[in-house]
Amino acid sequence: MSNIEEQTRQMQYIDLVKEVVERENERLKRRLKCAVVTFGCQMNARDSEKLTGVLREAGYEIIDEETEADFVIYNTCTVRDNANQKVYGHLGLLKSRVKKNPNLRIALCGCMMQEASVIETIREKYKFVNLVFGTHNIFKFPELLYRMLTSDSQIIDIWEDTDQIVEDLPVDRKYSFKSGINIMFGCNNFCSYCIVPYVRGRERSREPKEIIREIEKLVNEGVIEVMLLGQNVNSYGKNLDNPMSFAELLKEIEKIDGLKRIRFMTSHPKDLSDDLIEVMAKSEKICKHIHLPLQSGSDRVLKEMNRRYTKEQYLSLVEKIKKAIPDVAVTTDIIVGFPGETAADVDDTIDVIRKVHYDNAFTFIYSKRTGTPAAARPDQCDEAEVKANFDRVLNAVKEEAMIRNGYLVGRVEEALVEEINAHDDTFVTGRLSNNSMVHFKGDASLIGKLVKVNILEAKGFYYMGEMI
Ligand code: SF4
């Protein structure tokens, strides 16, 4: 079945769900409520917007509090074990609610569902879960939802892979002025610690014309900033019938009238091309921020992680980027405690932190993911040593960010106002091109607008300013 035919089929299922929901609303004399709970990365956040879009279109009232919902969906992550444990924790709490309210429906989806051991556990211990689906068939959500609403048995539908990309179903965007766009799915890199290639499948890129069409539609609806999403955007387009590089795609997106800002995530250092650096340097719309996961600064560990770059190659890449794009913010991900990692390896990581002067870094303790090569290694690290190394890395990250983050003070920068400040409603919070947040006096009328801000003070990872 073609992607268009599949899309039409799913739209028909949304109509069928609508009829069921209307009947229930009439019976209960109120609207059915639904909560979508999201774990994990921006790809999952985007998937949740798609789930919410379908549910709203089908007549559900969307709420945040899962305890008040008639239908709860957990969109799960499995990158670290504690993400899995959190989901089981939520399910444990729901168990008693299911006994009191037989009408409560529960669905699970996302990366964690692609693991066979998880499905076994759900079948055995969580029989009250009504629907389970995975990452490859999320586009079938309307159909699965209809089956769930018209059946009493547990529905489990997990696919091993897919070549289908169905993207035109309703989407409920969290922000009216910015949006994520999937440009590709899956990953071919098989970093030895990472479960993503197993749960998200091999790389599949969307056709450029479909991406452009989606962005143009969003811009017509008022979006001015897009975030292009993929596990490894730098290898975008390699598997298309007419291959196109990520740099070429960016040039096409830049031409879209009305679009003001372009962001992307995530870049693998081994695939980041000179062409991309050049396009970024010349662009008026691509934001001055690059997230470049380091993971480790030790050549031995990098090799064992299957990252396919060395410390020196990484450092010279950053140097090239900083030279070509003045003021660019560089952020990263670091893993501490990879099997066999020593204090000397961590010294190498800290050396990179000191040399790059990251604007920010997300530091994680290695989490053993069953099925990956690293999990099978006998030399898993001692917990206390990992904790000590983790603290050393974190301190270096904080110190460098403090030094680095003063550089915008005294300058006038453009900020996209995202929301009213959470602590003081006379302030608003905006995002700078380099991805830092700035807080300044303002009101709700500014939300979604690009404004000029005088940067007054650096406060670690954020700034205080005044609008001019
Ligand atoms: S590039 Fe490596 S870390 Fe990133 S998703 Fe692919 S396998 Fe995982």
Side-chain angles (χ1 to χ4, degrees):
M1 195 179 296
S2 74
N3 291 346
I4 301 282
E5 283 166 341
E6 184 61 51
Q7 186 196 325
T8 312
R9 218 168 76 84
Q10 295 306 324
M11 290 304 290
Q12 287 162 351
Y13 273 108
I14 293 181
D15 288 338
L16 290 173
V17 173
K18 222 183 244 175
E19 287 169 19
V20 178
V21 171
E22 272 165 20
R23 279 201 300 273
E24 269 303 278
N25 287 352
E26 245 163 64
R27 186 179 72 81
L28 295 168
K29 306 272 179 280
R30 65 170 176 84
R31 282 181 72 194
L32 279 178
K33 295 178 189 162
C34 175
V36 180
V37 183
T38 312
F39 300 87
C41 67
Q42 301 229 23
M43 300 281 276
N44 259 22
R46 179 67 181 155
D47 282 349
S48 287
E49 289 184 346
K50 293 174 191 168
L51 298 171
T52 313
V54 168
L55 289 160
R56 194 185 294 280
E57 184 72 21
Y60 276 94
E61 180 184 345
I62 310 296
I63 59 169
D64 290 332
E65 306 77 25
E66 58 190 284
T67 50
E68 316 241 314
D70 302 286
F71 178 32
V72 186
I73 307 183
Y74 295 106
N75 186 7
T76 64
C77 166
T78 190
V79 169
R80 275 168 279 283
D81 183 54
N82 63 359
N84 287 31
Q85 296 316 320
K86 267 192 210 162
V87 172
Y88 289 132
H90 279 261
L91 287 178
L93 292 175
L94 276 184
K95 209 168 190 169
S96 56
R97 275 191 62 215
V98 173
K99 276 189 197 141
K100 283 188 215 138
N101 176 7
N103 291 324
L104 177 65
R105 309 259 174 173
I106 299 157
L108 295 168
C109 65
C111 293
M112 186 177 155
M113 300 307 123
Q114 294 293 141
E115 288 182 88
S117 60
V118 169
I119 299 300
E120 244 170 69
T121 308
I122 292 166
R123 279 192 213 275
E124 272 170 29
K125 293 195 188 156
Y126 301 99
K127 293 193 169 68
F128 58 89
V129 171
N130 305 89
L131 169 64
V132 183
F133 56 103
T135 55
H136 301 302
N137 56 348
I138 186 169
F139 65 85
K140 264 183 72 182
F141 178 52
E143 179 180 348
L144 293 167
L145 182 60
Y146 180 69
R147 278 177 57 198
M148 180 195 83
L149 290 170
T150 52
S151 150
D152 285 331
S153 28
Q154 185 176 60
I155 297 164
I156 297 185
D157 191 2
I158 306 293
W159 294 9
E160 285 303 310
D161 218 335
T162 184
D163 54 7
Q164 267 187 306
I165 299 179
V166 182
E167 281 286 296
D168 274 351
L169 295 172
V171 178
D172 207 25
R173 281 184 281 110
K174 190 171 170 212
Y175 297 97
S176 60
F177 51 89
K178 68 171 193 173
S179 178
I181 316 276
N182 295 108
I183 63 163
M184 60 193 299
F185 303 89
C187 180
N188 288 351
N189 285 316
F190 290 93
C191 300
S192 65
Y193 53 85
C194 181
I195 200 159
V196 167
Y198 306 91
V199 295
R200 288 261 171 189
R202 297 304 93 80
E203 266 173 30
R204 285 163 292 135
S205 297
R206 286 179 72 195
E207 286 294 336
K209 61 176 186 321
E210 281 174 22
I211 297 169
I212 305 279
R213 195 164 47 87
E214 185 179 348
I215 300 177
E216 284 173 343
K217 186 166 165 269
L218 288 167
V219 169
N220 280 335
E221 291 166 7
V223 165
I224 58 172
E225 178 180 300
V226 289
M227 166 75 89
L228 310 175
L229 295 169
Q231 302 293 348
N232 177 16
V233 291
N234 295 327
S235 69
Y236 169 81
K238 285 183 186 160
N239 55 358
L240 288 170
D241 290 342
N242 295 311
M244 178 189 224
S245 72
F246 181 52
E248 284 163 344
L249 176 71
L250 281 172
K251 277 202 246 173
E252 292 306 309
I253 294 175
E254 172 116 22
K255 290 180 196 156
I256 298 174
D257 269 347
L259 181 66
K260 301 275 190 329
R261 279 181 166 188
I262 305 166
R263 297 185 185 277
F264 56 85
M265 169 163 284
T266 291
S267 290
H268 194 304
K270 80 173 165 57
D271 295 315
L272 199 146
S273 68
D274 289 352
D275 285 351
L276 174 61
I277 299 175
E278 198 188 320
V279 169
M280 280 186 82
K282 286 191 185 147
S283 170
E284 308 241 309
K285 296 185 179 176
I286 302 172
C287 289
K288 296 210 179 309
H289 170 223
I290 191 143
H291 186 72
L292 201 59
L294 167 70
Q295 310 302 12
S296 169
S298 152
D299 283 345
R300 187 184 57 80
V301 174
L302 283 171
K303 191 150 194 278
E304 288 171 10
M305 284 178 161
N306 195 28
R307 292 292 289 173
R308 286 174 277 172
Y309 52 83
T310 63
K311 176 184 174 187
E312 283 318 308
Q313 283 166 337
Y314 183 96
L315 284 172
S316 52
L317 178 62
V318 172
E319 203 184 313
K320 213 191 296 180
I321 294 170
K322 288 196 170 193
K323 205 165 152 202
I325 314 164
D327 293 339
V328 67
V330 181
T331 56
T332 199
D333 295 329
I334 292 168
I335 295 172
V336 181
F338 182 82
E341 186 180 60
T342 64
D345 293 320
V346 176
D347 290 343
D348 281 333
T349 302
I350 292 174
D351 188 44
V352 178
I353 296 169
R354 300 278 184 220
K355 286 185 168 134
V356 172
H357 310 299
Y358 289 111
D359 291 69
N360 203 350
F362 302 94
T363 312
F364 305 99
I365 288 182
Y366 166 77
S367 178
K368 192 172 165 182
R369 308 311 297 126
T370 309
T372 60
R377 287 179 54 152
D379 52 350
Q380 304 290 321
C381 293
D382 172 77
E383 236 176 79
E385 271 171 43
V386 173
K387 178 75 185 54
N389 285 329
F390 181 80
D391 289 345
R392 285 202 298 136
V393 169
L394 205 60
N395 284 338
V397 167
K398 278 190 199 154
E399 281 167 21
E400 287 302 319
M402 282 301 275
I403 299 166
R404 163 83 180 147
N405 283 354
Y407 78 105
L408 288 183
V409 174
R411 289 187 9 191
V412 172
E413 292 287 317
E414 206 165 53
L416 174 57
V417 182
E418 293 196 345
E419 57 205 359
I420 295 287
N421 187 289
H423 302 292
D424 182 344
D425 63 9
T426 63
F427 276 72
V428 289
T429 299
R431 193 178 294 270
L432 301 172
S433 172
N434 77 353
N435 210 36
S436 295
M437 305 310 287
V438 59
H439 307 290
F440 52 96
K441 282 266 181 206
D443 59 34
S445 68
L446 296 173
I447 293 176
K449 296 205 170 105
L450 274 170
V451 297
K452 296 255 187 252
V453 180
N454 194 358
I455 308 292
L456 299 174
E457 199 184 346
K459 295 254 192 190
F461 294 109
Y462 66 92
Y463 293 92
M464 300 304 294
E466 74 186 348
M467 200 171 93
I468 54 171

PDB file of all heavy atoms in Angstrom, residues 172-199:
ATOM      1  N   ASP A 172      -0.839  17.833  16.902  1.00  0.00           N
ATOM      2  CA  ASP A 172      -1.208  18.857  17.873  1.00  0.00           C
ATOM      3  C   ASP A 172       0.083  19.488  18.376  1.00  0.00           C
ATOM      4  O   ASP A 172       0.767  18.912  19.211  1.00  0.00           O
ATOM      5  CB  ASP A 172      -1.929  18.157  19.038  1.00  0.00           C
ATOM      6  CG  ASP A 172      -2.885  19.082  19.725  1.00  0.00           C
ATOM      7  OD1 ASP A 172      -3.353  20.028  19.082  1.00  0.00           O
ATOM      8  OD2 ASP A 172      -3.170  18.850  20.912  1.00  0.00           O
ATOM      9  N   ARG A 173       0.451  20.652  17.857  1.00  0.00           N
ATOM     10  CA  ARG A 173       1.745  21.218  18.224  1.00  0.00           C
ATOM     11  C   ARG A 173       1.706  21.890  19.585  1.00  0.00           C
ATOM     12  O   ARG A 173       0.743  22.564  19.927  1.00  0.00           O
ATOM     13  CB  ARG A 173       2.209  22.213  17.165  1.00  0.00           C
ATOM     14  CG  ARG A 173       2.793  21.508  15.969  1.00  0.00           C
ATOM     15  CD  ARG A 173       3.337  22.466  14.969  1.00  0.00           C
ATOM     16  NE  ARG A 173       2.278  23.055  14.163  1.00  0.00           N
ATOM     17  CZ  ARG A 173       1.897  24.322  14.238  1.00  0.00           C
ATOM     18  NH1 ARG A 173       2.493  25.144  15.091  1.00  0.00           N
ATOM     19  NH2 ARG A 173       0.942  24.773  13.488  1.00  0.00           N
ATOM     20  N   LYS A 174       2.780  21.691  20.357  1.00  0.00           N
ATOM     21  CA  LYS A 174       2.843  22.286  21.695  1.00  0.00           C
ATOM     22  C   LYS A 174       2.947  23.810  21.582  1.00  0.00           C
ATOM     23  O   LYS A 174       2.363  24.541  22.370  1.00  0.00           O
ATOM     24  CB  LYS A 174       4.062  21.708  22.423  1.00  0.00           C
ATOM     25  CG  LYS A 174       4.087  22.063  23.878  1.00  0.00           C
ATOM     26  CD  LYS A 174       5.161  21.301  24.621  1.00  0.00           C
ATOM     27  CE  LYS A 174       5.296  21.894  26.012  1.00  0.00           C
ATOM     28  NZ  LYS A 174       6.635  21.813  26.528  1.00  0.00           N
ATOM     29  N   TYR A 175       3.730  24.293  20.611  1.00  0.00           N
ATOM     30  CA  TYR A 175       3.889  25.735  20.397  1.00  0.00           C
ATOM     31  C   TYR A 175       3.328  26.096  19.027  1.00  0.00           C
ATOM     32  O   TYR A 175       3.521  25.350  18.069  1.00  0.00           O
ATOM     33  CB  TYR A 175       5.373  26.123  20.418  1.00  0.00           C
ATOM     34  CG  TYR A 175       6.060  25.874  21.734  1.00  0.00           C
ATOM     35  CD1 TYR A 175       6.804  24.707  21.926  1.00  0.00           C
ATOM     36  CD2 TYR A 175       5.981  26.796  22.773  1.00  0.00           C
ATOM     37  CE1 TYR A 175       7.441  24.467  23.133  1.00  0.00           C
ATOM     38  CE2 TYR A 175       6.621  26.565  23.975  1.00  0.00           C
ATOM     39  CZ  TYR A 175       7.348  25.395  24.152  1.00  0.00           C
ATOM     40  OH  TYR A 175       7.980  25.153  25.341  1.00  0.00           O
ATOM     41  N   SER A 176       2.682  27.270  18.924  1.00  0.00           N
ATOM     42  CA  SER A 176       2.110  27.658  17.628  1.00  0.00           C
ATOM     43  C   SER A 176       3.184  28.223  16.701  1.00  0.00           C
ATOM     44  O   SER A 176       3.025  28.245  15.494  1.00  0.00           O
ATOM     45  CB  SER A 176       1.027  28.715  17.838  1.00  0.00           C
ATOM     46  OG  SER A 176       1.611  29.846  18.466  1.00  0.00           O
ATOM     47  N   PHE A 177       4.313  28.677  17.265  1.00  0.00           N
ATOM     48  CA  PHE A 177       5.309  29.420  16.489  1.00  0.00           C
ATOM     49  C   PHE A 177       6.573  28.620  16.189  1.00  0.00           C
ATOM     50  O   PHE A 177       7.461  29.093  15.489  1.00  0.00           O
ATOM     51  CB  PHE A 177       5.699  30.707  17.242  1.00  0.00           C
ATOM     52  CG  PHE A 177       6.081  30.426  18.674  1.00  0.00           C
ATOM     53  CD1 PHE A 177       7.386  30.130  18.993  1.00  0.00           C
ATOM     54  CD2 PHE A 177       5.127  30.434  19.676  1.00  0.00           C
ATOM     55  CE1 PHE A 177       7.727  29.838  20.300  1.00  0.00           C
ATOM     56  CE2 PHE A 177       5.473  30.139  20.994  1.00  0.00           C
ATOM     57  CZ  PHE A 177       6.769  29.850  21.310  1.00  0.00           C
ATOM     58  N   LYS A 178       6.699  27.425  16.755  1.00  0.00           N
ATOM     59  CA  LYS A 178       7.872  26.598  16.419  1.00  0.00           C
ATOM     60  C   LYS A 178       7.452  25.129  16.385  1.00  0.00           C
ATOM     61  O   LYS A 178       6.484  24.743  17.049  1.00  0.00           O
ATOM     62  CB  LYS A 178       9.020  26.829  17.396  1.00  0.00           C
ATOM     63  CG  LYS A 178       8.792  26.353  18.801  1.00  0.00           C
ATOM     64  CD  LYS A 178      10.103  26.456  19.579  1.00  0.00           C
ATOM     65  CE  LYS A 178      10.014  25.695  20.883  1.00  0.00           C
ATOM     66  NZ  LYS A 178      11.294  25.621  21.578  1.00  0.00           N
ATOM     67  N   SER A 179       8.201  24.365  15.607  1.00  0.00           N
ATOM     68  CA  SER A 179       7.803  22.968  15.463  1.00  0.00           C
ATOM     69  C   SER A 179       8.997  22.086  15.128  1.00  0.00           C
ATOM     70  O   SER A 179       9.936  22.531  14.472  1.00  0.00           O
ATOM     71  CB  SER A 179       6.759  22.861  14.342  1.00  0.00           C
ATOM     72  OG  SER A 179       6.411  21.504  14.159  1.00  0.00           O
ATOM     73  N   GLY A 180       8.935  20.851  15.578  1.00  0.00           N
ATOM     74  CA  GLY A 180       9.907  19.844  15.152  1.00  0.00           C
ATOM     75  C   GLY A 180       9.436  19.227  13.847  1.00  0.00           C
ATOM     76  O   GLY A 180       8.235  19.167  13.585  1.00  0.00           O
ATOM     77  N   ILE A 181      10.368  18.798  13.010  1.00  0.00           N
ATOM     78  CA  ILE A 181      10.035  18.118  11.744  1.00  0.00           C
ATOM     79  C   ILE A 181      10.934  16.906  11.648  1.00  0.00           C
ATOM     80  O   ILE A 181      12.156  17.055  11.675  1.00  0.00           O
ATOM     81  CB  ILE A 181      10.401  18.989  10.500  1.00  0.00           C
ATOM     82  CG1 ILE A 181       9.996  20.432  10.644  1.00  0.00           C
ATOM     83  CG2 ILE A 181       9.934  18.346   9.202  1.00  0.00           C
ATOM     84  CD1 ILE A 181       8.607  20.706  10.284  1.00  0.00           C
ATOM     85  N   ASN A 182      10.364  15.736  11.499  1.00  0.00           N
ATOM     86  CA  ASN A 182      11.206  14.560  11.275  1.00  0.00           C
ATOM     87  C   ASN A 182      11.733  14.588   9.849  1.00  0.00           C
ATOM     88  O   ASN A 182      10.953  14.666   8.913  1.00  0.00           O
ATOM     89  CB  ASN A 182      10.387  13.272  11.445  1.00  0.00           C
ATOM     90  CG  ASN A 182       9.893  13.106  12.862  1.00  0.00           C
ATOM     91  OD1 ASN A 182       8.717  13.259  13.142  1.00  0.00           O
ATOM     92  ND2 ASN A 182      10.805  12.807  13.762  1.00  0.00           N
ATOM     93  N   ILE A 183      13.052  14.547   9.701  1.00  0.00           N
ATOM     94  CA  ILE A 183      13.576  14.487   8.330  1.00  0.00           C
ATOM     95  C   ILE A 183      14.065  13.067   8.020  1.00  0.00           C
ATOM     96  O   ILE A 183      14.223  12.697   6.876  1.00  0.00           O
ATOM     97  CB  ILE A 183      14.694  15.530   8.063  1.00  0.00           C
ATOM     98  CG1 ILE A 183      15.921  15.288   8.958  1.00  0.00           C
ATOM     99  CG2 ILE A 183      14.163  16.943   8.207  1.00  0.00           C
ATOM    100  CD1 ILE A 183      17.160  16.020   8.439  1.00  0.00           C
ATOM    101  N   MET A 184      14.326  12.304   9.061  1.00  0.00           N
ATOM    102  CA  MET A 184      14.738  10.912   8.860  1.00  0.00           C
ATOM    103  C   MET A 184      14.439  10.106  10.123  1.00  0.00           C
ATOM    104  O   MET A 184      14.207  10.677  11.191  1.00  0.00           O
ATOM    105  CB  MET A 184      16.233  10.838   8.522  1.00  0.00           C
ATOM    106  CG  MET A 184      17.112  11.403   9.609  1.00  0.00           C
ATOM    107  SD  MET A 184      18.797  11.650   9.058  1.00  0.00           S
ATOM    108  CE  MET A 184      19.283   9.990   8.638  1.00  0.00           C
ATOM    109  N   PHE A 185      14.429   8.810   9.961  1.00  0.00           N
ATOM    110  CA  PHE A 185      14.130   7.928  11.088  1.00  0.00           C
ATOM    111  C   PHE A 185      15.222   6.874  11.176  1.00  0.00           C
ATOM    112  O   PHE A 185      15.812   6.511  10.165  1.00  0.00           O
ATOM    113  CB  PHE A 185      12.775   7.235  10.869  1.00  0.00           C
ATOM    114  CG  PHE A 185      11.638   8.200  10.681  1.00  0.00           C
ATOM    115  CD1 PHE A 185      11.313   8.670   9.415  1.00  0.00           C
ATOM    116  CD2 PHE A 185      10.905   8.660  11.756  1.00  0.00           C
ATOM    117  CE1 PHE A 185      10.277   9.567   9.228  1.00  0.00           C
ATOM    118  CE2 PHE A 185       9.867   9.561  11.578  1.00  0.00           C
ATOM    119  CZ  PHE A 185       9.550  10.013  10.318  1.00  0.00           C
ATOM    120  N   GLY A 186      15.458   6.372  12.373  1.00  0.00           N
ATOM    121  CA  GLY A 186      16.387   5.266  12.556  1.00  0.00           C
ATOM    122  C   GLY A 186      17.849   5.682  12.523  1.00  0.00           C
ATOM    123  O   GLY A 186      18.179   6.860  12.390  1.00  0.00           O
ATOM    124  N   CYS A 187      18.726   4.684  12.668  1.00  0.00           N
ATOM    125  CA  CYS A 187      20.162   4.957  12.713  1.00  0.00           C
ATOM    126  C   CYS A 187      20.917   3.700  12.292  1.00  0.00           C
ATOM    127  O   CYS A 187      20.520   2.585  12.628  1.00  0.00           O
ATOM    128  CB  CYS A 187      20.559   5.342  14.141  1.00  0.00           C
ATOM    129  SG  CYS A 187      22.316   5.695  14.270  1.00  0.00           S
ATOM    130  N   ASN A 188      22.010   3.897  11.532  1.00  0.00           N
ATOM    131  CA  ASN A 188      22.808   2.760  11.057  1.00  0.00           C
ATOM    132  C   ASN A 188      24.132   2.629  11.803  1.00  0.00           C
ATOM    133  O   ASN A 188      24.985   1.862  11.394  1.00  0.00           O
ATOM    134  CB  ASN A 188      23.165   2.946   9.574  1.00  0.00           C
ATOM    135  CG  ASN A 188      21.964   2.761   8.680  1.00  0.00           C
ATOM    136  OD1 ASN A 188      20.911   2.338   9.151  1.00  0.00           O
ATOM    137  ND2 ASN A 188      22.101   3.079   7.414  1.00  0.00           N
ATOM    138  N   ASN A 189      24.352   3.419  12.832  1.00  0.00           N
ATOM    139  CA  ASN A 189      25.708   3.523  13.362  1.00  0.00           C
ATOM    140  C   ASN A 189      26.131   2.453  14.360  1.00  0.00           C
ATOM    141  O   ASN A 189      27.305   2.173  14.502  1.00  0.00           O
ATOM    142  CB  ASN A 189      25.918   4.903  13.977  1.00  0.00           C
ATOM    143  CG  ASN A 189      26.085   5.929  12.891  1.00  0.00           C
ATOM    144  OD1 ASN A 189      26.797   5.702  11.923  1.00  0.00           O
ATOM    145  ND2 ASN A 189      25.395   7.039  13.004  1.00  0.00           N
ATOM    146  N   PHE A 190      25.186   1.901  15.063  1.00  0.00           N
ATOM    147  CA  PHE A 190      25.496   0.838  16.025  1.00  0.00           C
ATOM    148  C   PHE A 190      26.646   1.198  16.958  1.00  0.00           C
ATOM    149  O   PHE A 190      27.622   0.450  17.084  1.00  0.00           O
ATOM    150  CB  PHE A 190      25.776  -0.491  15.305  1.00  0.00           C
ATOM    151  CG  PHE A 190      24.538  -1.067  14.688  1.00  0.00           C
ATOM    152  CD1 PHE A 190      24.207  -0.795  13.363  1.00  0.00           C
ATOM    153  CD2 PHE A 190      23.665  -1.836  15.444  1.00  0.00           C
ATOM    154  CE1 PHE A 190      23.052  -1.285  12.800  1.00  0.00           C
ATOM    155  CE2 PHE A 190      22.501  -2.336  14.884  1.00  0.00           C
ATOM    156  CZ  PHE A 190      22.197  -2.065  13.562  1.00  0.00           C
ATOM    157  N   CYS A 191      26.571   2.347  17.609  1.00  0.00           N
ATOM    158  CA  CYS A 191      27.493   2.637  18.707  1.00  0.00           C
ATOM    159  C   CYS A 191      27.285   1.502  19.710  1.00  0.00           C
ATOM    160  O   CYS A 191      26.135   1.104  19.950  1.00  0.00           O
ATOM    161  CB  CYS A 191      27.180   3.995  19.324  1.00  0.00           C
ATOM    162  SG  CYS A 191      27.340   5.313  18.111  1.00  0.00           S
ATOM    163  N   SER A 192      28.360   0.995  20.294  1.00  0.00           N
ATOM    164  CA  SER A 192      28.250  -0.302  20.981  1.00  0.00           C
ATOM    165  C   SER A 192      27.423  -0.255  22.264  1.00  0.00           C
ATOM    166  O   SER A 192      27.060  -1.290  22.804  1.00  0.00           O
ATOM    167  CB  SER A 192      29.651  -0.843  21.278  1.00  0.00           C
ATOM    168  OG  SER A 192      30.291   0.009  22.200  1.00  0.00           O
ATOM    169  N   TYR A 193      27.123   0.950  22.772  1.00  0.00           N
ATOM    170  CA  TYR A 193      26.334   1.079  24.007  1.00  0.00           C
ATOM    171  C   TYR A 193      24.860   1.371  23.719  1.00  0.00           C
ATOM    172  O   TYR A 193      24.042   1.405  24.618  1.00  0.00           O
ATOM    173  CB  TYR A 193      26.874   2.239  24.862  1.00  0.00           C
ATOM    174  CG  TYR A 193      26.973   3.527  24.069  1.00  0.00           C
ATOM    175  CD1 TYR A 193      25.877   4.352  23.926  1.00  0.00           C
ATOM    176  CD2 TYR A 193      28.165   3.876  23.416  1.00  0.00           C
ATOM    177  CE1 TYR A 193      25.958   5.501  23.145  1.00  0.00           C
ATOM    178  CE2 TYR A 193      28.248   5.017  22.649  1.00  0.00           C
ATOM    179  CZ  TYR A 193      27.150   5.818  22.512  1.00  0.00           C
ATOM    180  OH  TYR A 193      27.207   6.931  21.738  1.00  0.00           O
ATOM    181  N   CYS A 194      24.512   1.630  22.445  1.00  0.00           N
ATOM    182  CA  CYS A 194      23.240   2.273  22.143  1.00  0.00           C
ATOM    183  C   CYS A 194      22.204   1.297  21.595  1.00  0.00           C
ATOM    184  O   CYS A 194      22.493   0.476  20.728  1.00  0.00           O
ATOM    185  CB  CYS A 194      23.468   3.397  21.130  1.00  0.00           C
ATOM    186  SG  CYS A 194      21.956   4.273  20.720  1.00  0.00           S
ATOM    187  N   ILE A 195      20.993   1.448  22.071  1.00  0.00           N
ATOM    188  CA  ILE A 195      19.922   0.527  21.686  1.00  0.00           C
ATOM    189  C   ILE A 195      19.070   1.085  20.542  1.00  0.00           C
ATOM    190  O   ILE A 195      18.263   0.374  19.949  1.00  0.00           O
ATOM    191  CB  ILE A 195      19.072   0.203  22.947  1.00  0.00           C
ATOM    192  CG1 ILE A 195      18.285  -1.080  22.746  1.00  0.00           C
ATOM    193  CG2 ILE A 195      18.176   1.366  23.343  1.00  0.00           C
ATOM    194  CD1 ILE A 195      17.836  -1.738  24.004  1.00  0.00           C
ATOM    195  N   VAL A 196      19.323   2.367  20.191  1.00  0.00           N
ATOM    196  CA  VAL A 196      18.469   3.033  19.196  1.00  0.00           C
ATOM    197  C   VAL A 196      18.365   2.276  17.859  1.00  0.00           C
ATOM    198  O   VAL A 196      17.270   2.063  17.350  1.00  0.00           O
ATOM    199  CB  VAL A 196      18.905   4.505  18.980  1.00  0.00           C
ATOM    200  CG1 VAL A 196      18.261   5.113  17.743  1.00  0.00           C
ATOM    201  CG2 VAL A 196      18.553   5.335  20.206  1.00  0.00           C
ATOM    202  N   PRO A 197      19.488   1.828  17.254  1.00  0.00           N
ATOM    203  CA  PRO A 197      19.348   1.135  15.971  1.00  0.00           C
ATOM    204  C   PRO A 197      18.464  -0.115  16.071  1.00  0.00           C
ATOM    205  O   PRO A 197      17.847  -0.519  15.091  1.00  0.00           O
ATOM    206  CB  PRO A 197      20.784   0.743  15.599  1.00  0.00           C
ATOM    207  CG  PRO A 197      21.624   1.724  16.342  1.00  0.00           C
ATOM    208  CD  PRO A 197      20.906   1.982  17.633  1.00  0.00           C
ATOM    209  N   TYR A 198      18.417  -0.728  17.263  1.00  0.00           N
ATOM    210  CA  TYR A 198      17.601  -1.929  17.426  1.00  0.00           C
ATOM    211  C   TYR A 198      16.120  -1.580  17.588  1.00  0.00           C
ATOM    212  O   TYR A 198      15.253  -2.349  17.202  1.00  0.00           O
ATOM    213  CB  TYR A 198      18.069  -2.745  18.650  1.00  0.00           C
ATOM    214  CG  TYR A 198      19.543  -3.070  18.609  1.00  0.00           C
ATOM    215  CD1 TYR A 198      20.490  -2.225  19.180  1.00  0.00           C
ATOM    216  CD2 TYR A 198      19.988  -4.221  17.948  1.00  0.00           C
ATOM    217  CE1 TYR A 198      21.844  -2.503  19.125  1.00  0.00           C
ATOM    218  CE2 TYR A 198      21.344  -4.515  17.892  1.00  0.00           C
ATOM    219  CZ  TYR A 198      22.268  -3.655  18.474  1.00  0.00           C
ATOM    220  OH  TYR A 198      23.603  -3.938  18.402  1.00  0.00           O
ATOM    221  N   VAL A 199      15.836  -0.419  18.208  1.00  0.00           N
ATOM    222  CA  VAL A 199      14.422  -0.092  18.474  1.00  0.00           C
ATOM    223  C   VAL A 199      13.832   0.896  17.469  1.00  0.00           C
ATOM    224  O   VAL A 199      12.619   0.988  17.336  1.00  0.00           O
ATOM    225  CB  VAL A 199      14.220   0.433  19.919  1.00  0.00           C
ATOM    226  CG1 VAL A 199      14.539  -0.645  20.925  1.00  0.00           C
ATOM    227  CG2 VAL A 199      15.013   1.696  20.196  1.00  0.00           C
TER     228      VAL A 199
END
